[in-house]
């Protein structure tokens, strides 16, 4: 029987690549989105992957959304926590709403989603949870105390939950992308990209969403059952630990 996968933020960018990779591997895939309904509708029409709208920062919305997905697709075997936002500002200028919104989506959202699926995974004694963190959760980043804190928190969450579920057939891992060619980076001026970003990356180029998707697919595989609590860095050599 095909595994059921749910990818948050799964209709655009890295999330879309992950959703399609899981689908190509034979999974039944559902994807969430919070805004840009037009893009989500186009993605669903193009791929056949069902798109579901809710705010992962809202615990009750996650409970309702996951129930709807499981009713239409089936019990969730694979959860990919990919959705995230940025609200950048240097700390001395950062507002509380900028802090709260990033923590709410990027960190609380991981709790909210995992909490909805964990009991079912425990009962079935099988599950794959992959959290998409960031290189900036590993090394920090100027102007991103909120984002770096949330993404570092995801890594601690990953390790702790991995310990709790290790004997139950549920693995919990994280991937940390570096600079990936997505719509978000398209907004960066070309001169900044060439002078400030690319020189930091030893392989000399941006990553591709499909490269992150391959790593997620590897961790989501049934054959990856001996890998848990791990963090896979995918950054072109920019930051090595």
């Amino acid at each position: 029987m095909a595994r059921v996968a749910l990818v948050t933020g799964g209709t655009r960018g890295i999330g879309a690549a992950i959703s399609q990779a899981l689908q190509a591997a034979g999974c039944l895939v559902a994807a969430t989105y919070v805004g840009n309904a037009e893009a989500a509708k186009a993605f669903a029409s193009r791929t056949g992957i069902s798109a579901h709208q809710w705010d992962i920062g809202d615990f009750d919305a996650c409970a309702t959304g996951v129930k709807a997905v499981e009713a239409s697709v089936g019990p969730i075997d694979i959860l990919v926590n990919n959705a995230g936002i940025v609200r950048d500002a240097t700390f001395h200028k950062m507002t509380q709403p900028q802090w709260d919104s990033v923590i709410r989506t990027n960190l609380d959202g991981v709790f909210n989603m995992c909490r909805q699926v964990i009991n079912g995974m425990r009962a079935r004694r099988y599950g794959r949870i992959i959290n998409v963190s960031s290189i900036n959760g590993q090394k920090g980043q100027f102007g991103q105390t909120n984002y770096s804190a949330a993404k570092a928190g995801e890594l601690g969450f990953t390790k702790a939950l991995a310990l709790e579920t290790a004997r139950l057939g549920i693995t919990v891992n994280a991937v940390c992308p570096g600079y990936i060619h997505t719509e978000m980076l398209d907004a960066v001026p070309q001169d900044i990209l060439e002078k400030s970003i690319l020189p930091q990356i030893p392989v000399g180029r941006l990553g591709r969403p499909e490269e992150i998707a391959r790593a997620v697919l590897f961790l989501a595989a049934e054959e990856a059952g001996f890998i848990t609590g791990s963090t896979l860095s995918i950054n072109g050599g920019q930051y090595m630990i």
Side-chain angles (χ1 to χ4, degrees):
M1 181 178 293
R3 296 293 186 185
V4 175
L6 177 59
V7 182
T8 67
T11 64
R12 298 170 62 195
I14 292 172
I18 292 170
S19 294
Q20 291 175 273
L22 288 166
Q23 181 190 51
C27 295
L28 299 175
V29 183
T32 79
Y33 68 100
V34 68
N36 204 332
E38 184 176 342
K41 182 179 179 180
F43 174 80
S45 176
R46 183 175 71 254
T47 64
I49 294 171
S50 61
H52 306 260
Q53 184 177 25
W54 74 78
D55 177 5
I56 64 164
D58 183 327
F59 184 88
D60 291 335
C62 290
T64 300
V66 168
K67 287 178 182 176
V69 169
E70 294 197 321
S72 63
V73 186
I76 294 166
D77 301 300
I78 301 164
L79 172 64
V80 182
N81 288 305
N82 166 75
I85 63 170
V86 293
R87 298 289 185 269
D88 294 352
T90 52
F91 186 73
H92 67 287
K93 295 180 179 179
M94 186 173 289
T95 65
Q96 187 171 356
Q98 286 174 317
W99 174 270
D100 288 346
S101 61
V102 169
I103 298 299
R104 178 179 181 273
T105 296
N106 296 8
L107 186 55
D108 291 350
V110 173
F111 167 81
N112 293 343
M113 290 301 300
C114 287
R115 193 64 187 83
Q116 311 313 319
V117 304
I118 197 66
N119 285 342
M121 289 181 175
R122 287 172 63 92
R124 296 187 299 275
R125 299 187 73 83
Y126 183 88
R128 298 285 184 266
I129 296 173
I130 300 100
N131 298 319
V132 181
S133 181
S134 168
I135 185 176
N136 293 340
Q138 296 174 302
K139 71 175 186 62
Q141 177 61 31
F142 186 95
Q144 287 194 330
T145 51
N146 49 5
Y147 185 81
S148 294
K151 291 300 183 178
E154 284 186 39
L155 299 180
F157 178 99
T158 296
K159 294 174 184 178
L161 186 57
L163 289 172
E164 293 185 16
T165 62
R167 292 186 179 274
L168 297 169
I170 304 166
T171 65
V172 189
N173 294 289
V175 297
C176 284
Y179 285 99
I180 307 301
H181 191 184
T182 62
E183 291 178 23
M184 188 180 298
L185 267 188
D186 284 341
V188 176
Q190 188 66 27
D191 62 325
I192 293 177
L193 182 67
E194 293 179 357
K195 294 177 182 178
S196 301
I197 295 178
L198 290 177
Q200 300 179 44
I201 306 173
V203 301
R205 64 170 176 84
L206 300 176
R208 296 185 294 271
E210 294 77 14
E211 292 175 306
I212 309 303
R214 287 191 200 100
V216 171
L217 192 61
F218 166 69
L219 293 171
E222 297 192 29
E223 296 85 354
F226 201 58
I227 305 170
T228 196
S230 293
T231 299
L232 181 54
S233 297
I234 313 167
N235 59 43
Q238 183 181 351
Y239 187 71
M240 303 180 187
I241 56 172

